[in-house]
Each structure stands twice: as C-alpha cells, then as structure tokens.
Amino acid sequence: DLPAAQKKAEADQKMVLMNFTGSDWCGWCKKLKADVFSKDEFVEYATKNLVLVELDFPSSKIKQSAELKKANGALKKQHGIRGYPTILVLNSKGKEVWKQVGYLKGGPSAFIAKLEEARKK
C-alpha cells in the first residue's frame, strides 16, 4: 500500500523502498532477496531507515486480487518499470532519489551504500 507507506515515511522521516519483483519466476529477484533483503545487515538498516513496499508481478500460478494487480500495474506504468528487479527509492516527501534496474552486486553493504547516497539527495 504505497499511500500508507508514504504517510509512514513522512511521519517517521524515512525513505520508501519500492521493490518491483517477479518473486516466483525472476532469478535475479530471488538472488536480490537472498543476497541482500534477507541479510541481518540490511534488515537492521531497513528497520531504522526505510518503509518497504513490495510490488509483485508473479507468474499466473500465484493468485492476486484484481485490485492488487491493478494497483501494481498502475505504479509500474507510472514509474516506467521495464524489467525486474527494479528498486525505486523515494525520500520522505515522495520524491524519487534512486532507481536501480537489475541486480546490484556487492551484497547488503553495497546496497546500503547506494541508499545512503540517495538519502543525501
């Protein structure tokens, strides 16, 4: 729920990290989750600094409500998402400060370094 995430981010002075993913079919998405998002270093950073929003575009094997598909599709179109994974980071005011298309090598430390650069914008 992006509107709720943006309200929380503004209230808590955090950034919003939007993860556009194909959770059950995208190999690079699975690798990003395993190598970054599931690691304690990232979880600790995210808890203090981020509001996380996952926008999943799974295969037809995973059922999603029509409402969720429509909302995710609208955000995909609005932000010009063309591949997975795509990470989009918004500051606490809702302005885009970082966009990463594809897998970022280097594990949680490299990912956090990019987030810190974005936070300074």
Side-chain angles (χ1 to χ4, degrees), residues 19-39 42 54 84-87 102-108 111:
N19 175 24
F20 290 85
T21 184
S23 65
D24 69 329
W25 59 267
C26 170
W28 289 111
C29 301
K30 291 177 182 181
K31 185 166 177 56
L32 182 62
K33 185 174 184 177
D35 292 354
V36 176
F37 297 152
S38 67
K39 301 296 184 192
F42 178 81
E54 183 177 83
Y84 305 102
T86 295
I87 303 301
Y103 180 79
L104 177 68
K105 293 179 184 176
F111 204 89

PDB file of all heavy atoms in Angstrom, residues 19-39 42 54 84-87 102-108 111:
ATOM      1  N   ASN A  19      10.118  -2.259  -4.217  1.00  0.00           N
ATOM      2  CA  ASN A  19      10.766  -3.376  -4.883  1.00  0.00           C
ATOM      3  C   ASN A  19       9.796  -3.962  -5.905  1.00  0.00           C
ATOM      4  O   ASN A  19       8.838  -4.638  -5.540  1.00  0.00           O
ATOM      5  CB  ASN A  19      11.166  -4.432  -3.841  1.00  0.00           C
ATOM      6  CG  ASN A  19      11.742  -5.688  -4.464  1.00  0.00           C
ATOM      7  OD1 ASN A  19      12.248  -5.666  -5.575  1.00  0.00           O
ATOM      8  ND2 ASN A  19      11.650  -6.790  -3.738  1.00  0.00           N
ATOM      9  N   PHE A  20      10.045  -3.682  -7.178  1.00  0.00           N
ATOM     10  CA  PHE A  20       9.250  -4.257  -8.262  1.00  0.00           C
ATOM     11  C   PHE A  20       9.883  -5.609  -8.595  1.00  0.00           C
ATOM     12  O   PHE A  20      11.048  -5.659  -9.022  1.00  0.00           O
ATOM     13  CB  PHE A  20       9.263  -3.348  -9.487  1.00  0.00           C
ATOM     14  CG  PHE A  20       8.494  -2.068  -9.296  1.00  0.00           C
ATOM     15  CD1 PHE A  20       9.082  -0.964  -8.697  1.00  0.00           C
ATOM     16  CD2 PHE A  20       7.171  -1.970  -9.711  1.00  0.00           C
ATOM     17  CE1 PHE A  20       8.380   0.224  -8.517  1.00  0.00           C
ATOM     18  CE2 PHE A  20       6.459  -0.786  -9.540  1.00  0.00           C
ATOM     19  CZ  PHE A  20       7.060   0.309  -8.945  1.00  0.00           C
ATOM     20  N   THR A  21       9.147  -6.686  -8.373  1.00  0.00           N
ATOM     21  CA  THR A  21       9.727  -8.020  -8.456  1.00  0.00           C
ATOM     22  C   THR A  21       8.788  -9.015  -9.126  1.00  0.00           C
ATOM     23  O   THR A  21       7.574  -8.815  -9.146  1.00  0.00           O
ATOM     24  CB  THR A  21      10.080  -8.520  -7.032  1.00  0.00           C
ATOM     25  OG1 THR A  21      10.725  -9.787  -7.109  1.00  0.00           O
ATOM     26  CG2 THR A  21       8.860  -8.629  -6.136  1.00  0.00           C
ATOM     27  N   GLY A  22       9.371 -10.047  -9.648  1.00  0.00           N
ATOM     28  CA  GLY A  22       8.638 -11.229 -10.100  1.00  0.00           C
ATOM     29  C   GLY A  22       9.071 -12.352  -9.166  1.00  0.00           C
ATOM     30  O   GLY A  22       9.970 -13.117  -9.484  1.00  0.00           O
ATOM     31  N   SER A  23       8.493 -12.375  -7.996  1.00  0.00           N
ATOM     32  CA  SER A  23       9.008 -13.160  -6.870  1.00  0.00           C
ATOM     33  C   SER A  23       9.166 -14.654  -7.126  1.00  0.00           C
ATOM     34  O   SER A  23      10.059 -15.275  -6.561  1.00  0.00           O
ATOM     35  CB  SER A  23       8.122 -12.960  -5.642  1.00  0.00           C
ATOM     36  OG  SER A  23       6.823 -13.489  -5.886  1.00  0.00           O
ATOM     37  N   ASP A  24       8.337 -15.217  -7.974  1.00  0.00           N
ATOM     38  CA  ASP A  24       8.397 -16.664  -8.147  1.00  0.00           C
ATOM     39  C   ASP A  24       9.030 -17.117  -9.463  1.00  0.00           C
ATOM     40  O   ASP A  24       9.221 -18.311  -9.670  1.00  0.00           O
ATOM     41  CB  ASP A  24       6.997 -17.278  -8.000  1.00  0.00           C
ATOM     42  CG  ASP A  24       6.070 -16.904  -9.139  1.00  0.00           C
ATOM     43  OD1 ASP A  24       6.212 -15.792  -9.699  1.00  0.00           O
ATOM     44  OD2 ASP A  24       5.188 -17.713  -9.475  1.00  0.00           O
ATOM     45  N   TRP A  25       9.388 -16.191 -10.328  1.00  0.00           N
ATOM     46  CA  TRP A  25       9.951 -16.591 -11.621  1.00  0.00           C
ATOM     47  C   TRP A  25      11.231 -15.855 -11.993  1.00  0.00           C
ATOM     48  O   TRP A  25      11.990 -16.307 -12.850  1.00  0.00           O
ATOM     49  CB  TRP A  25       8.926 -16.399 -12.738  1.00  0.00           C
ATOM     50  CG  TRP A  25       8.455 -14.969 -12.877  1.00  0.00           C
ATOM     51  CD1 TRP A  25       7.368 -14.406 -12.286  1.00  0.00           C
ATOM     52  CD2 TRP A  25       9.071 -13.927 -13.631  1.00  0.00           C
ATOM     53  NE1 TRP A  25       7.263 -13.073 -12.618  1.00  0.00           N
ATOM     54  CE2 TRP A  25       8.310 -12.756 -13.447  1.00  0.00           C
ATOM     55  CE3 TRP A  25      10.204 -13.861 -14.449  1.00  0.00           C
ATOM     56  CZ2 TRP A  25       8.641 -11.537 -14.045  1.00  0.00           C
ATOM     57  CZ3 TRP A  25      10.525 -12.635 -15.047  1.00  0.00           C
ATOM     58  CH2 TRP A  25       9.746 -11.506 -14.841  1.00  0.00           C
ATOM     59  N   CYS A  26      11.502 -14.716 -11.395  1.00  0.00           N
ATOM     60  CA  CYS A  26      12.659 -13.875 -11.753  1.00  0.00           C
ATOM     61  C   CYS A  26      13.888 -14.293 -10.944  1.00  0.00           C
ATOM     62  O   CYS A  26      13.939 -14.079  -9.727  1.00  0.00           O
ATOM     63  CB  CYS A  26      12.305 -12.409 -11.498  1.00  0.00           C
ATOM     64  SG  CYS A  26      13.712 -11.279 -11.621  1.00  0.00           S
ATOM     65  N   GLY A  27      14.852 -14.884 -11.621  1.00  0.00           N
ATOM     66  CA  GLY A  27      16.064 -15.360 -10.950  1.00  0.00           C
ATOM     67  C   GLY A  27      16.832 -14.261 -10.237  1.00  0.00           C
ATOM     68  O   GLY A  27      17.318 -14.442  -9.112  1.00  0.00           O
ATOM     69  N   TRP A  28      16.973 -13.105 -10.889  1.00  0.00           N
ATOM     70  CA  TRP A  28      17.714 -12.001 -10.270  1.00  0.00           C
ATOM     71  C   TRP A  28      16.953 -11.432  -9.068  1.00  0.00           C
ATOM     72  O   TRP A  28      17.554 -10.964  -8.105  1.00  0.00           O
ATOM     73  CB  TRP A  28      18.003 -10.911 -11.288  1.00  0.00           C
ATOM     74  CG  TRP A  28      19.034 -11.336 -12.282  1.00  0.00           C
ATOM     75  CD1 TRP A  28      18.828 -11.586 -13.606  1.00  0.00           C
ATOM     76  CD2 TRP A  28      20.419 -11.604 -12.046  1.00  0.00           C
ATOM     77  NE1 TRP A  28      20.003 -11.990 -14.203  1.00  0.00           N
ATOM     78  CE2 TRP A  28      20.999 -11.999 -13.269  1.00  0.00           C
ATOM     79  CE3 TRP A  28      21.227 -11.551 -10.916  1.00  0.00           C
ATOM     80  CZ2 TRP A  28      22.339 -12.345 -13.393  1.00  0.00           C
ATOM     81  CZ3 TRP A  28      22.575 -11.890 -11.033  1.00  0.00           C
ATOM     82  CH2 TRP A  28      23.111 -12.274 -12.264  1.00  0.00           C
ATOM     83  N   CYS A  29      15.617 -11.475  -9.111  1.00  0.00           N
ATOM     84  CA  CYS A  29      14.808 -11.027  -7.972  1.00  0.00           C
ATOM     85  C   CYS A  29      15.034 -11.942  -6.771  1.00  0.00           C
ATOM     86  O   CYS A  29      15.198 -11.481  -5.638  1.00  0.00           O
ATOM     87  CB  CYS A  29      13.321 -11.017  -8.334  1.00  0.00           C
ATOM     88  SG  CYS A  29      12.908  -9.944  -9.727  1.00  0.00           S
ATOM     89  N   LYS A  30      15.056 -13.234  -7.045  1.00  0.00           N
ATOM     90  CA  LYS A  30      15.299 -14.207  -5.974  1.00  0.00           C
ATOM     91  C   LYS A  30      16.694 -14.032  -5.395  1.00  0.00           C
ATOM     92  O   LYS A  30      16.893 -14.117  -4.179  1.00  0.00           O
ATOM     93  CB  LYS A  30      15.127 -15.633  -6.508  1.00  0.00           C
ATOM     94  CG  LYS A  30      13.699 -15.982  -6.865  1.00  0.00           C
ATOM     95  CD  LYS A  30      13.635 -17.386  -7.451  1.00  0.00           C
ATOM     96  CE  LYS A  30      12.241 -17.756  -7.877  1.00  0.00           C
ATOM     97  NZ  LYS A  30      12.165 -19.125  -8.422  1.00  0.00           N
ATOM     98  N   LYS A  31      17.662 -13.766  -6.261  1.00  0.00           N
ATOM     99  CA  LYS A  31      19.047 -13.570  -5.812  1.00  0.00           C
ATOM    100  C   LYS A  31      19.149 -12.302  -4.952  1.00  0.00           C
ATOM    101  O   LYS A  31      19.817 -12.298  -3.914  1.00  0.00           O
ATOM    102  CB  LYS A  31      19.982 -13.497  -7.022  1.00  0.00           C
ATOM    103  CG  LYS A  31      21.456 -13.410  -6.657  1.00  0.00           C
ATOM    104  CD  LYS A  31      22.307 -13.690  -7.862  1.00  0.00           C
ATOM    105  CE  LYS A  31      23.795 -13.544  -7.587  1.00  0.00           C
ATOM    106  NZ  LYS A  31      24.315 -14.351  -6.496  1.00  0.00           N
ATOM    107  N   LEU A  32      18.473 -11.229  -5.357  1.00  0.00           N
ATOM    108  CA  LEU A  32      18.479  -9.991  -4.582  1.00  0.00           C
ATOM    109  C   LEU A  32      17.880 -10.224  -3.197  1.00  0.00           C
ATOM    110  O   LEU A  32      18.420  -9.765  -2.188  1.00  0.00           O
ATOM    111  CB  LEU A  32      17.702  -8.898  -5.323  1.00  0.00           C
ATOM    112  CG  LEU A  32      17.658  -7.525  -4.671  1.00  0.00           C
ATOM    113  CD1 LEU A  32      19.060  -6.921  -4.531  1.00  0.00           C
ATOM    114  CD2 LEU A  32      16.770  -6.591  -5.490  1.00  0.00           C
ATOM    115  N   LYS A  33      16.796 -10.961  -3.147  1.00  0.00           N
ATOM    116  CA  LYS A  33      16.169 -11.267  -1.856  1.00  0.00           C
ATOM    117  C   LYS A  33      17.118 -12.082  -0.987  1.00  0.00           C
ATOM    118  O   LYS A  33      17.298 -11.781   0.202  1.00  0.00           O
ATOM    119  CB  LYS A  33      14.856 -12.018  -2.070  1.00  0.00           C
ATOM    120  CG  LYS A  33      14.101 -12.271  -0.798  1.00  0.00           C
ATOM    121  CD  LYS A  33      12.742 -12.886  -1.055  1.00  0.00           C
ATOM    122  CE  LYS A  33      11.968 -13.046   0.239  1.00  0.00           C
ATOM    123  NZ  LYS A  33      10.624 -13.563   0.005  1.00  0.00           N
ATOM    124  N   ALA A  34      17.748 -13.102  -1.556  1.00  0.00           N
ATOM    125  CA  ALA A  34      18.650 -13.974  -0.800  1.00  0.00           C
ATOM    126  C   ALA A  34      19.939 -13.260  -0.381  1.00  0.00           C
ATOM    127  O   ALA A  34      20.408 -13.421   0.750  1.00  0.00           O
ATOM    128  CB  ALA A  34      18.989 -15.213  -1.624  1.00  0.00           C
ATOM    129  N   ASP A  35      20.515 -12.455  -1.294  1.00  0.00           N
ATOM    130  CA  ASP A  35      21.819 -11.835  -1.049  1.00  0.00           C
ATOM    131  C   ASP A  35      21.755 -10.521  -0.288  1.00  0.00           C
ATOM    132  O   ASP A  35      22.753 -10.089   0.285  1.00  0.00           O
ATOM    133  CB  ASP A  35      22.543 -11.573  -2.372  1.00  0.00           C
ATOM    134  CG  ASP A  35      22.960 -12.847  -3.082  1.00  0.00           C
ATOM    135  OD1 ASP A  35      22.798 -13.944  -2.508  1.00  0.00           O
ATOM    136  OD2 ASP A  35      23.437 -12.743  -4.237  1.00  0.00           O
ATOM    137  N   VAL A  36      20.600  -9.841  -0.315  1.00  0.00           N
ATOM    138  CA  VAL A  36      20.508  -8.518   0.311  1.00  0.00           C
ATOM    139  C   VAL A  36      19.360  -8.458   1.318  1.00  0.00           C
ATOM    140  O   VAL A  36      19.575  -8.277   2.512  1.00  0.00           O
ATOM    141  CB  VAL A  36      20.348  -7.397  -0.744  1.00  0.00           C
ATOM    142  CG1 VAL A  36      20.167  -6.036  -0.073  1.00  0.00           C
ATOM    143  CG2 VAL A  36      21.553  -7.360  -1.677  1.00  0.00           C
ATOM    144  N   PHE A  37      18.138  -8.593   0.821  1.00  0.00           N
ATOM    145  CA  PHE A  37      16.970  -8.329   1.663  1.00  0.00           C
ATOM    146  C   PHE A  37      16.845  -9.258   2.860  1.00  0.00           C
ATOM    147  O   PHE A  37      16.290  -8.872   3.883  1.00  0.00           O
ATOM    148  CB  PHE A  37      15.690  -8.374   0.835  1.00  0.00           C
ATOM    149  CG  PHE A  37      15.610  -7.318  -0.240  1.00  0.00           C
ATOM    150  CD1 PHE A  37      14.878  -7.542  -1.382  1.00  0.00           C
ATOM    151  CD2 PHE A  37      16.261  -6.104  -0.110  1.00  0.00           C
ATOM    152  CE1 PHE A  37      14.791  -6.572  -2.375  1.00  0.00           C
ATOM    153  CE2 PHE A  37      16.188  -5.135  -1.095  1.00  0.00           C
ATOM    154  CZ  PHE A  37      15.451  -5.374  -2.230  1.00  0.00           C
ATOM    155  N   SER A  38      17.357 -10.479   2.764  1.00  0.00           N
ATOM    156  CA  SER A  38      17.225 -11.431   3.870  1.00  0.00           C
ATOM    157  C   SER A  38      18.385 -11.360   4.865  1.00  0.00           C
ATOM    158  O   SER A  38      18.367 -12.052   5.884  1.00  0.00           O
ATOM    159  CB  SER A  38      17.114 -12.855   3.325  1.00  0.00           C
ATOM    160  OG  SER A  38      18.337 -13.234   2.716  1.00  0.00           O
ATOM    161  N   LYS A  39      19.378 -10.547   4.595  1.00  0.00           N
ATOM    162  CA  LYS A  39      20.564 -10.467   5.458  1.00  0.00           C
ATOM    163  C   LYS A  39      20.323  -9.525   6.644  1.00  0.00           C
ATOM    164  O   LYS A  39      19.698  -8.476   6.502  1.00  0.00           O
ATOM    165  CB  LYS A  39      21.788  -9.979   4.673  1.00  0.00           C
ATOM    166  CG  LYS A  39      22.152 -10.869   3.502  1.00  0.00           C
ATOM    167  CD  LYS A  39      22.574 -12.240   3.963  1.00  0.00           C
ATOM    168  CE  LYS A  39      23.022 -13.093   2.787  1.00  0.00           C
ATOM    169  NZ  LYS A  39      23.166 -14.472   3.129  1.00  0.00           N
ATOM    170  N   PHE A  42      21.034  -5.745   6.240  1.00  0.00           N
ATOM    171  CA  PHE A  42      20.003  -4.975   5.541  1.00  0.00           C
ATOM    172  C   PHE A  42      18.756  -4.827   6.402  1.00  0.00           C
ATOM    173  O   PHE A  42      18.173  -3.744   6.467  1.00  0.00           O
ATOM    174  CB  PHE A  42      19.628  -5.612   4.200  1.00  0.00           C
ATOM    175  CG  PHE A  42      18.541  -4.844   3.505  1.00  0.00           C
ATOM    176  CD1 PHE A  42      18.838  -3.696   2.785  1.00  0.00           C
ATOM    177  CD2 PHE A  42      17.211  -5.231   3.605  1.00  0.00           C
ATOM    178  CE1 PHE A  42      17.835  -2.949   2.170  1.00  0.00           C
ATOM    179  CE2 PHE A  42      16.203  -4.499   3.000  1.00  0.00           C
ATOM    180  CZ  PHE A  42      16.515  -3.354   2.286  1.00  0.00           C
ATOM    181  N   GLU A  54       6.643  -3.965  -1.425  1.00  0.00           N
ATOM    182  CA  GLU A  54       6.913  -4.937  -2.481  1.00  0.00           C
ATOM    183  C   GLU A  54       5.773  -4.897  -3.492  1.00  0.00           C
ATOM    184  O   GLU A  54       4.612  -5.001  -3.117  1.00  0.00           O
ATOM    185  CB  GLU A  54       7.048  -6.343  -1.905  1.00  0.00           C
ATOM    186  CG  GLU A  54       7.410  -7.363  -2.973  1.00  0.00           C
ATOM    187  CD  GLU A  54       7.633  -8.750  -2.418  1.00  0.00           C
ATOM    188  OE1 GLU A  54       6.622  -9.467  -2.218  1.00  0.00           O
ATOM    189  OE2 GLU A  54       8.792  -9.108  -2.176  1.00  0.00           O
ATOM    190  N   TYR A  84      12.786  -6.508 -14.188  1.00  0.00           N
ATOM    191  CA  TYR A  84      12.818  -6.914 -12.790  1.00  0.00           C
ATOM    192  C   TYR A  84      14.177  -7.503 -12.450  1.00  0.00           C
ATOM    193  O   TYR A  84      14.771  -8.142 -13.296  1.00  0.00           O
ATOM    194  CB  TYR A  84      11.727  -7.955 -12.514  1.00  0.00           C
ATOM    195  CG  TYR A  84      10.360  -7.491 -12.920  1.00  0.00           C
ATOM    196  CD1 TYR A  84       9.783  -7.941 -14.100  1.00  0.00           C
ATOM    197  CD2 TYR A  84       9.667  -6.584 -12.146  1.00  0.00           C
ATOM    198  CE1 TYR A  84       8.525  -7.506 -14.489  1.00  0.00           C
ATOM    199  CE2 TYR A  84       8.406  -6.142 -12.530  1.00  0.00           C
ATOM    200  CZ  TYR A  84       7.845  -6.609 -13.697  1.00  0.00           C
ATOM    201  OH  TYR A  84       6.609  -6.178 -14.088  1.00  0.00           O
ATOM    202  N   PRO A  85      14.640  -7.291 -11.253  1.00  0.00           N
ATOM    203  CA  PRO A  85      14.067  -6.405 -10.252  1.00  0.00           C
ATOM    204  C   PRO A  85      14.353  -4.945 -10.589  1.00  0.00           C
ATOM    205  O   PRO A  85      15.354  -4.635 -11.226  1.00  0.00           O
ATOM    206  CB  PRO A  85      14.813  -6.800  -8.967  1.00  0.00           C
ATOM    207  CG  PRO A  85      16.146  -7.284  -9.440  1.00  0.00           C
ATOM    208  CD  PRO A  85      15.882  -7.942 -10.773  1.00  0.00           C
ATOM    209  N   THR A  86      13.472  -4.093 -10.157  1.00  0.00           N
ATOM    210  CA  THR A  86      13.715  -2.652 -10.179  1.00  0.00           C
ATOM    211  C   THR A  86      13.436  -2.140  -8.777  1.00  0.00           C
ATOM    212  O   THR A  86      12.390  -2.425  -8.209  1.00  0.00           O
ATOM    213  CB  THR A  86      12.823  -1.924 -11.199  1.00  0.00           C
ATOM    214  OG1 THR A  86      13.167  -2.349 -12.524  1.00  0.00           O
ATOM    215  CG2 THR A  86      13.001  -0.407 -11.105  1.00  0.00           C
ATOM    216  N   ILE A  87      14.401  -1.399  -8.271  1.00  0.00           N
ATOM    217  CA  ILE A  87      14.261  -0.772  -6.960  1.00  0.00           C
ATOM    218  C   ILE A  87      14.082   0.713  -7.188  1.00  0.00           C
ATOM    219  O   ILE A  87      14.861   1.336  -7.909  1.00  0.00           O
ATOM    220  CB  ILE A  87      15.515  -1.018  -6.081  1.00  0.00           C
ATOM    221  CG1 ILE A  87      15.785  -2.517  -5.921  1.00  0.00           C
ATOM    222  CG2 ILE A  87      15.391  -0.314  -4.740  1.00  0.00           C
ATOM    223  CD1 ILE A  87      14.664  -3.303  -5.286  1.00  0.00           C
ATOM    224  N   GLY A 102      17.746  -3.968 -12.272  1.00  0.00           N
ATOM    225  CA  GLY A 102      18.597  -5.152 -12.267  1.00  0.00           C
ATOM    226  C   GLY A 102      19.278  -5.368 -10.935  1.00  0.00           C
ATOM    227  O   GLY A 102      19.108  -4.607  -9.984  1.00  0.00           O
ATOM    228  N   TYR A 103      20.041  -6.416 -10.879  1.00  0.00           N
ATOM    229  CA  TYR A 103      20.728  -6.839  -9.658  1.00  0.00           C
ATOM    230  C   TYR A 103      21.948  -5.968  -9.394  1.00  0.00           C
ATOM    231  O   TYR A 103      22.704  -5.667 -10.311  1.00  0.00           O
ATOM    232  CB  TYR A 103      21.143  -8.304  -9.819  1.00  0.00           C
ATOM    233  CG  TYR A 103      21.863  -8.875  -8.633  1.00  0.00           C
ATOM    234  CD1 TYR A 103      21.159  -9.286  -7.510  1.00  0.00           C
ATOM    235  CD2 TYR A 103      23.239  -9.014  -8.642  1.00  0.00           C
ATOM    236  CE1 TYR A 103      21.817  -9.823  -6.413  1.00  0.00           C
ATOM    237  CE2 TYR A 103      23.914  -9.548  -7.554  1.00  0.00           C
ATOM    238  CZ  TYR A 103      23.186  -9.954  -6.447  1.00  0.00           C
ATOM    239  OH  TYR A 103      23.847 -10.478  -5.358  1.00  0.00           O
ATOM    240  N   LEU A 104      22.135  -5.570  -8.163  1.00  0.00           N
ATOM    241  CA  LEU A 104      23.308  -4.786  -7.755  1.00  0.00           C
ATOM    242  C   LEU A 104      24.254  -5.710  -6.992  1.00  0.00           C
ATOM    243  O   LEU A 104      23.876  -6.250  -5.945  1.00  0.00           O
ATOM    244  CB  LEU A 104      22.881  -3.613  -6.869  1.00  0.00           C
ATOM    245  CG  LEU A 104      24.007  -2.749  -6.304  1.00  0.00           C
ATOM    246  CD1 LEU A 104      24.689  -1.965  -7.423  1.00  0.00           C
ATOM    247  CD2 LEU A 104      23.459  -1.787  -5.260  1.00  0.00           C
ATOM    248  N   LYS A 105      25.451  -5.900  -7.520  1.00  0.00           N
ATOM    249  CA  LYS A 105      26.442  -6.769  -6.874  1.00  0.00           C
ATOM    250  C   LYS A 105      26.988  -6.111  -5.608  1.00  0.00           C
ATOM    251  O   LYS A 105      26.994  -4.897  -5.489  1.00  0.00           O
ATOM    252  CB  LYS A 105      27.607  -7.047  -7.828  1.00  0.00           C
ATOM    253  CG  LYS A 105      27.231  -7.864  -9.030  1.00  0.00           C
ATOM    254  CD  LYS A 105      28.434  -8.078  -9.934  1.00  0.00           C
ATOM    255  CE  LYS A 105      28.033  -8.810 -11.198  1.00  0.00           C
ATOM    256  NZ  LYS A 105      29.153  -8.944 -12.125  1.00  0.00           N
ATOM    257  N   GLY A 106      27.462  -6.944  -4.693  1.00  0.00           N
ATOM    258  CA  GLY A 106      28.154  -6.438  -3.510  1.00  0.00           C
ATOM    259  C   GLY A 106      27.440  -6.688  -2.200  1.00  0.00           C
ATOM    260  O   GLY A 106      27.911  -6.262  -1.150  1.00  0.00           O
ATOM    261  N   GLY A 107      26.302  -7.359  -2.256  1.00  0.00           N
ATOM    262  CA  GLY A 107      25.599  -7.697  -1.021  1.00  0.00           C
ATOM    263  C   GLY A 107      25.004  -6.494  -0.310  1.00  0.00           C
ATOM    264  O   GLY A 107      24.890  -5.410  -0.887  1.00  0.00           O
ATOM    265  N   PRO A 108      24.639  -6.681   0.961  1.00  0.00           N
ATOM    266  CA  PRO A 108      23.951  -5.618   1.687  1.00  0.00           C
ATOM    267  C   PRO A 108      24.777  -4.339   1.840  1.00  0.00           C
ATOM    268  O   PRO A 108      24.228  -3.245   1.782  1.00  0.00           O
ATOM    269  CB  PRO A 108      23.634  -6.227   3.048  1.00  0.00           C
ATOM    270  CG  PRO A 108      24.215  -7.571   3.072  1.00  0.00           C
ATOM    271  CD  PRO A 108      24.754  -7.897   1.730  1.00  0.00           C
ATOM    272  N   PHE A 111      24.505  -2.246  -1.278  1.00  0.00           N
ATOM    273  CA  PHE A 111      23.133  -1.762  -1.396  1.00  0.00           C
ATOM    274  C   PHE A 111      22.893  -0.618  -0.415  1.00  0.00           C
ATOM    275  O   PHE A 111      22.333   0.428  -0.775  1.00  0.00           O
ATOM    276  CB  PHE A 111      22.162  -2.925  -1.147  1.00  0.00           C
ATOM    277  CG  PHE A 111      20.823  -2.740  -1.764  1.00  0.00           C
ATOM    278  CD1 PHE A 111      20.577  -3.161  -3.055  1.00  0.00           C
ATOM    279  CD2 PHE A 111      19.802  -2.133  -1.063  1.00  0.00           C
ATOM    280  CE1 PHE A 111      19.330  -2.993  -3.642  1.00  0.00           C
ATOM    281  CE2 PHE A 111      18.550  -1.966  -1.634  1.00  0.00           C
ATOM    282  CZ  PHE A 111      18.319  -2.390  -2.927  1.00  0.00           C
TER     283      PHE A 111
END
